[in-house]
Amino acid sequence: MAPTARSFARRRLLTGAAALTGAALLGGTAGGTAYAAGTAKPAWPDQFPLPDGFQPEGITIGSKPFAYFGSLANGDIYRASLATGRGSVVSKGLGTGHPTVGLKTGHGRLFLAGGDSGEIRTVDLRSGAIEKVYATGGTFVNDVILTPGAAWFTDSFKAQLYRVALTKHGEPGALTTLPLSGDWVQGTDFTANGIERTPDGRALLVVNCFADGGTLMRVDPRTGAATAVDLGGAKLPNGDGMLLLGRTFYVVQQSQNAIDVFRLNAAGTKGTAITRITDPRFRIPTTAAAWGDRIYLPNARFDVEQPTPDTDYDAVAVPQV
């Protein structure tokens, strides 16, 4: 089994084993895509196909109504119009062994997490050309969030974050590593997943799928010290992509086919469960991005053990809370 296949097999095993925990508890930004503008008109599709065999995982939406999806198969980037659902590949990846997992758009470029390639890549939005490739030396670079001065990335198998410095014009600079400490507990398998910012913008929020059955951690970006966020007993064993809209915090619990929604305080130290979003169209959604009054998610279909070039994929939209 290839390294990418092994990594995602681990991911499916971990999330499947704990799938009922969050459901039992909850029942039935300042950066990234959190404040995408515009209105999703009723006539716009709330479900549209992605290319067969694409193997989507991440999604990002910028200041225009276009969603960008990354491919686990070869790192390609697919752009779809939210108005029509139609799209095309706008950036070719580096091929097998160089997946695109999480991604964010900002400053005229895409910031890509390269999964088990250990890479961080940036792509020019106009040309689709890969600008920079950073070799982190990491094991699985999973997700990314943009802050005013940096792009931050998680590593699912190492207790550390990666920071790519950004100039005032958003140009990527030096790569550094921030070790995680404090309440952070690193499992022997898949641990860190999604990343966001706190509502006040002073700290980072990272899902730890291992600690105490799935915990949201607040991380000091200066020191790496992590503190468990009080979610009133809710667990995030399958927590993947996260989306912050004001103080409303969405966590995609992928293999549970659900989005758990919380209300956070400004500092991001405490959250109260609001509701759980489920939908019969969910086929293991992984990440989320907002446009207008909708949240868009790719169906990653991690239940398909051996995807083929004919495996079908799609994206769906649900109303915001």
Side-chain angles (χ1 to χ4, degrees):
M1 190 181 295
T4 298
R6 284 201 302 269
S7 296
F8 284 101
R10 291 192 195 104
R11 182 173 190 160
R12 287 192 294 267
L13 178 63
L14 175 68
T15 56
L20 296 178
T21 306
L25 283 166
L26 285 175
T29 101
T33 59
Y35 295 103
T39 300
K41 297 177 175 58
W44 289 11
D46 61 5
Q47 183 172 13
F48 51 84
L50 301 176
D52 287 352
F54 188 75
Q55 297 183 43
E57 208 274 2
I59 180 175
T60 185
I61 301 172
S63 59
K64 297 180 179 180
F66 294 94
Y68 295 84
F69 302 87
S71 170
L72 299 178
N74 54 21
D76 285 358
I77 304 300
Y78 181 85
R79 187 182 77 165
S81 165
L82 301 182
T84 66
R86 295 190 293 270
S88 62
V89 172
V90 295
S91 178
K92 295 296 293 182
L94 297 177
T96 303
H98 301 272
T100 295
V101 191
L103 70 165
K104 287 292 184 293
T105 181
H107 312 292
R109 53 181 49 87
L110 290 165
F111 296 80
L112 313 179
D116 60 2
S117 71
E119 297 167 348
I120 290 170
R121 302 188 295 273
T122 64
V123 168
D124 180 85
L125 271 182
R126 287 188 177 183
S127 67
I130 296 174
E131 295 178 316
K132 290 190 175 184
V133 179
Y134 296 86
T136 66
T139 307
F140 194 98
V141 185
N142 191 317
D143 203 2
V144 53
I145 190 65
L146 302 183
T147 66
W152 292 90
F153 298 79
T154 57
D155 190 313
S156 293
F157 293 96
K158 291 188 175 182
Q160 57 195 32
L161 301 178
Y162 304 111
R163 181 184 187 273
V164 174
L166 302 179
T167 69
K168 63 180 180 180
H169 300 296
E171 297 169 349
L175 169 69
T176 55
T177 299
L178 180 70
L180 296 172
S181 60
D183 291 345
W184 190 267
V185 180
Q186 185 67 28
T188 57
D189 213 310
F190 200 89
T191 302
N193 202 323
I195 185 170
E196 249 292 358
R197 294 179 70 192
T198 56
D200 64 11
R202 296 183 178 181
L204 302 168
L205 297 170
V206 180
V207 169
N208 185 312
C209 298
F210 174 79
D212 195 27
T215 302
L216 183 65
M217 297 285 186
R218 183 184 187 276
V219 177
D220 186 324
R222 298 166 300 173
T223 66
T227 306
V229 177
D230 177 6
L231 294 181
K235 303 296 183 184
L236 305 175
N238 311 130
D240 199 331
M242 303 186 295
L243 177 65
L244 181 67
L245 300 175
R247 293 191 186 180
T248 305
F249 187 58
Y250 299 81
V251 183
V252 183
Q253 295 253 49
Q254 39 144 293
S255 65
Q256 297 182 42
N257 285 316
I259 308 169
D260 287 335
V261 188
F262 301 88
R263 175 76 173 177
L264 296 182
N265 64 1
T269 59
K270 185 175 182 179
T272 302
I274 298 175
T275 189
R276 162 166 282 206
I277 301 171
T278 59
D279 193 290
R281 299 170 300 161
F282 285 172
R283 298 188 293 174
I284 309 190
T286 44
T287 49
W291 181 268
D293 57 359
R294 291 178 176 178
I295 296 172
Y296 291 83
L297 308 95
N299 277 317
R301 303 199 64 192
F302 286 154
D303 55 328
V304 178
E305 288 294 329
Q306 296 294 334
T308 72
D310 297 323
T311 302
D312 68 289
Y313 295 95
D314 64 353
V316 298
V318 296
Q320 292 182 24
V321 172

